[in-house]
Amino acid sequence: MNTFARLAAASLFALIPATACAQSADEDFVPDIPSENIEAHIRFLAHDALAGRAAGSDGYDIAANYVASQYRLIGLEPAGDNGGYFAEVPMQVMTPVASGGTLVIGEGDDAVALQNGFDLIIAGHPVLDEASITAEVVFVGYGLSLPHHGYDDYEGVDVEGRIVAYFGGAPDIMPSDERSHQQRTSTKRETAARHGAIGYIQLSGTAAEQYARFAERAVSGSSIALAPVGAEPAYSDLQVGAGVALEGAQALFANSGTTFEDVADRLQAGEPASMPLNITVTMTQETTRDLFVDNNVVGMIPGSDPELADEIVVLTAHLDHIGVTDAEGVSTTGCRSNNEEDRICNGAVDNASGSAIMLETARTFMQSEAPRRSLLFVALAAEEQGLLGSEYFAFHPTVPADAMVANVNLDMPVIVYEFSDVVAFGAERSSLGPITQRAAARMGIEVSPDPLPEQNLFIRSDHYNFVRRGIPSVFLMTGFSSPDPRWDEGEGFMGFLNTHYHRQSDEPDSDEEMVILYEQGAKFANINFLIAREIANNDTAPTWNEGDFFGDFYGADR
């Protein structure tokens, strides 16, 4: 038997039943999930044989089959496509044709042509193989429409059939979670398309010499996106998108009666700055693409209450990671080398740990009284490529979309230190907040506010796509506090983030002095179980808090 086969056999059959909670109907009991089970799953999923579980790889397929086998062993009902556990996510590797990306500002002898990969970025297009547009340009500030804040960059300007130009970022007039959402490229793209634009240009104040450092990388490599069948509708309307360096931004304002620098200052001061630029731009793009499929892995525990069983609580964890570097330590997927002899980014903490905790949460439910609502467990593909597995599932679910009443997401619980608090992103926005606090308190754990608002973590994990469908969601992560003074004040979390995140040392038995504390994984799993159980057994489904932006904006149609 080879090494991989021995590993598979050990992981499948050495798991310990969580007998402490078997057949318990007592809402006061605290589960006792075995740390040995958490360890078994992590060691399998983060083994070198899976080569970092990158999207589209054999290693990811092995991981998906492992999770499906665990679902079957645990006793979950298949809830994917065609009566199985797998739910296809159609994706593509898209590659921009550098020579096909052009942008010419103005016409005739005064025209300014930018160089793709130097002072211009025209990346691949997820839907259109090629496009060419010529249109007037309208400057729209930050490119946002925020009437609930009394702010609208599109007020007083007509962008129908035109190209919009805007700055990155967002005005500082809203909470950090919403600001993170508003400054996303996808939000600005959707806003531009809704107002009738046919293309967009993001302006940069970076000089061409510095801009070229990342422009060349942006137009010379491939990236993974959802296949056209699953792409956002805004893509087909916005035929070409670009980013330009300082010199291009200045040229766009040549006929406007003002300067790029002046409108930048006005925008920083909070003054409206939107205007037609009285200039025409021609833009082209060309993209090649290769289609492939990865699978989300979906299993269900049916609810026991006839009146609530049709409502579904979705538990998620992303299964993928970022693969390997090349021989020179370079990776197009984000794997950063900190070990010249090891090319594999194994992803033990990110996110074999979350996947392991999700599996053991499912096992514990199967060994206790059936929940009143149904529970759906989804191991998600391609999170590292832009939350693609969750986006496709949230918008093309294998269950009725209006049946999904809550999402509890697990992503990178940093179980390399003893934690005494957790962070529950999104909890303050819905009735999931008090549920999370009660569950954590049962385990002697506090719930802390977001310690890193500048990291925009609320929009950087899979729960965000369920939020976009109007579903109350919470994303759990270990916090900054620890009873061990070595790890207090964030040293444990930030130590991992600064030293091991997306590096080869995120693996079991790391040579870089990273020790995974599997008992902390079990503690985290106990909290996750208690949260999911209360959601599943409450008389009423979770609700958005009154006046919450995400509830009002996305939940109004549910």
Side-chain angles (χ1 to χ4, degrees), residues 2-64:
N2 63 30
T3 301
F4 182 76
R6 288 197 299 272
L7 177 70
S11 297
L12 285 170
F13 299 115
L15 297 170
I16 299 171
T19 53
C21 60
Q23 298 305 315
S24 175
D26 183 0
E27 290 296 314
D28 293 326
F29 98 97
V30 175
D32 185 17
I33 291 173
S35 61
E36 296 90 341
N37 290 7
I38 303 293
E39 179 176 2
H41 297 309
I42 291 176
R43 286 189 176 278
F44 185 96
L45 294 172
H47 192 272
D48 280 356
L50 276 67
R53 309 188 307 278
S57 71
D58 290 343
Y60 180 80
D61 285 344
I62 294 169

Side-chain angles (χ1 to χ4, degrees), residues 103-108 110-112 133-138 162-163 201 251-252 255 276-283:
L103 191 154
V104 179
I105 301 169
E107 300 171 295
D110 295 328
V112 176
I133 57 176
T134 299
E136 297 176 351
V137 182
V138 179
R162 295 173 170 84
I163 296 165
I201 301 171
L252 284 168
N255 299 337
L277 295 184
N278 301 316
I279 202 161
T280 297
V281 163
T282 296
M283 302 170 65

